[in-house]
Structures are given as structure tokens and as C-alpha cells.
């Protein structure tokens, strides 16, 4: 099914309707997430102990993290958009990951590490953070989860390994910069894995 061509797919009214509805919902989820994160920054949280952060760092890797993450994410999106089924995988996964992050951040309102060096990511800050640098969107790491998730959604094994490797590197640097607790980064691939599984399951249920 993953090799289905765009021209064949969009000729089916049901499939086209599913794709259009999923796209609109995914856009809505982005707006919802942006508003939630703005509200979340004003909440009072609680501190947690992380022996790894107490042991090493912080070091500023912002420029490298941004320079690596943004091109990789755009590359992954382009690869997924090459056929309609993988596009639906991506759109469903985007909705699911937003729901999961809102849920976990709401239920686990951690304070940022006291030694944090805030991540300066102009695209993310303007797209999701209303032009500000957010520090409380902690559990689980979005940068790490998104890269790993794209790896799970891409079929090419070599490219998949590249995304997994970059995701691991970015996650490690986020810990070393004290942007995230180590728990945030360790949990991210788990959420990414189950998000990919659920998005594929839903896609196969929705299309012909």
C-alpha cells in the first residue's frame, strides 16, 4: 500500500476526503499545541533530581542542534510527502504526537533544570512558541521524538539509520546543554515508536 501513486489515490473520493480531513486536523493540532505551550509557560512546576545533569555540563550546542535538526526534519517531511500513504502516516503521527506531548507536559509540569542554557531555535520559537524561548515543554523531548519518529516513518533502511543516529546525537546534546532532563530524552524514542505504530494502523483503517 505504501507504493500507491498520488494520481490513483486522489481519484478516490473517500481517500481524498480522508487526506484533506487529516491535513486540516493536523493544522488544528499545531495551533492547539502553540496555545497550550504559551499557557504552560505560566504554570508552576516542580523540580526533579537528575544525576546526569548534576554530573556534567552545561554546554551550549544551540547552533549545532538547530543546524542539524531543521534540515533533517524538512528532509523527512519531503520524503514522506512523496506518496499519499506515507503522507497520511506523517499527518496522523503529527496529530498523535501533539496529543501525547500535551498530555505528558500537562500531567508532569517539571520546572526546567536550574542550570539550563535555553535552546535558541528561531523557527521553533516563532512557529510554536509565539516568538519566545520556552523552557517548560520538557517531558518528553520534541526535538528527539520528531527525528526518531521520522526514522520510523521512512521505509529506506539506510535513511532510517541516519535519522536514528541524528536523533540520538541531538538528544545527547540537549541533555549536555541541560535543555532537557535525561528522562525527557530517554522517553522520546518510546513515544515515537508507538506513535509510528498507531499512525500506520489508523492510516490503514481509513484508506482503501
Amino acid at each position: 500500500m505504501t507504493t500507491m501513486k498520488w494520481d490513483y489515490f486522489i481519484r478516490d473520493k473517500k481517500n481524498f476526503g480522508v487526506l484533506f480531513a487529516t491535513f486540516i486536523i493536523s493544522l488544528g493540532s499545531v495551533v492547539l499545541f502553540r496555545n497550550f505551550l504559551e499557557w504552560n509557560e505560566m504554570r508552576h512546576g516542580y523540580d526533579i533530581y537528575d544525576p546526569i545533569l548534576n554530573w556534567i555540563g552545561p554546554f551550549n550546542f544551540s547552533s549545532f542542534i538547530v543546524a542539524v535538526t531543521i534540515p533533517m526534519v524538512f528532509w523527512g517531511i519531503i520524503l514522506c510527502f512523496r506518496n499519499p500513504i506515507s503522507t497520511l502516516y506523517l499527518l496522523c503521527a503529527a496529530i498523535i504526537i501533539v496529543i501525547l506531548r500535551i498530555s505528558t507536559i500537562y500531567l508532569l509540569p517539571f520546572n526546567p533544570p536550574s542550570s539550563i542554557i535555553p535552546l535558541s531555535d528561531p523557527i521553533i520559537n516563532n512557529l510554536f512558541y509565539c516568538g519566545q524561548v520556552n523552557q517548560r515543554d520538557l517531558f518528553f523531548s520534541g526535538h528527539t521524538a520528531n527525528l526518531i519518529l521520522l526514522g520510523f516513518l521512512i521505509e529506506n533502511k539506510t535513511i532510517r539509520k541516519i535519522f536514528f543516529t541524528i536523533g540520538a546525537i541531538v538528544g545527547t546534546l540537549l541533555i549536555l546543554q541541560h535543555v532537557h532532563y535525561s528522562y525527557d530524552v530517554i522517553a522520546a524514542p518510546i513515544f515515537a515508536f508507538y506513535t509510528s505504530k498507531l499512525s500506520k494502523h489508523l492510516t490503514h483503517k481509513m484508506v482503501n
Side-chain angles (χ1 to χ4, degrees):
M1 181 181 288
T2 55
T3 58
M4 187 181 296
K5 302 298 183 182
W6 274 108
D7 56 347
Y8 172 79
F9 185 88
I10 61 177
R11 283 200 299 267
D12 187 297
K13 291 183 179 180
K14 176 191 172 183
N15 288 345
F16 180 78
V18 166
L19 179 63
F20 181 77
T22 307
F23 177 72
I24 295 300
I25 295 171
S26 67
L27 288 180
S29 70
V30 171
V31 175
L32 174 64
F33 191 45
R34 177 184 173 127
N35 292 336
F36 170 78
L37 291 178
E38 184 178 12
W39 169 80
N40 184 65
E41 283 298 298
M42 298 182 292
R43 298 173 70 197
H44 294 292
Y46 53 89
D47 300 319
I48 60 173
Y49 175 72
D50 189 331
I52 295 179
L53 267 59
N54 288 348
W55 175 56
I56 190 169
F59 309 100
N60 193 343
F61 295 106
S62 285
S63 297
F64 181 81
I65 292 171
V66 173
V68 170
T69 302
I70 292 175
M72 290 295 295
V73 168
F74 277 111
W75 184 32
I77 291 172
I78 291 170
L79 290 174
C80 288
F81 279 0
R82 293 171 69 179
N83 74 74
I85 300 301
S86 60
T87 298
L88 274 172
Y89 287 166
L90 178 63
L91 294 175
C92 286
I95 297 167
I96 296 166
I97 207 77
V98 164
I99 294 171
L100 288 174
R101 290 206 71 207
I102 288 176
S103 301
T104 55
I105 293 170
Y106 177 79
L107 293 172
L108 300 170
F110 299 150
N111 286 326
S114 59
S115 52
I116 184 175
I117 299 177
L119 180 65
S120 180
D121 186 332
I123 293 182
I124 297 298
N125 290 347
N126 286 296
L127 183 60
F128 292 108
Y129 299 162
C130 302
Q132 301 177 353
V133 178
N134 281 16
Q135 300 181 26
R136 293 181 177 273
D137 56 328
L138 294 172
F139 190 87
F140 47 96
S141 168
H143 282 76
T144 309
N146 291 338
L147 289 168
I148 300 296
L149 176 58
L150 285 167
F152 282 125
L153 297 179
I154 293 168
E155 291 188 353
N156 185 287
K157 292 182 179 180
T158 300
I159 298 177
R160 174 175 288 189
K161 290 178 181 178
I162 294 173
F163 274 88
F164 289 162
T165 301
I166 297 298
I169 292 172
V170 167
T172 301
L173 296 181
L174 289 170
I175 295 173
L176 292 176
Q177 190 168 327
H178 294 195
V179 174
H180 279 284
Y181 295 103
S182 59
Y183 317 115
D184 307 332
V185 173
I186 293 170
I190 300 172
F191 282 98
F193 172 77
Y194 285 105
T195 294
S196 70
K197 289 291 186 181
L198 183 55
S199 70
K200 292 178 181 180
H201 174 76
L202 291 175
T203 295
H204 294 158
K205 287 287 187 180
M206 291 188 296
V207 302
N208 296 327

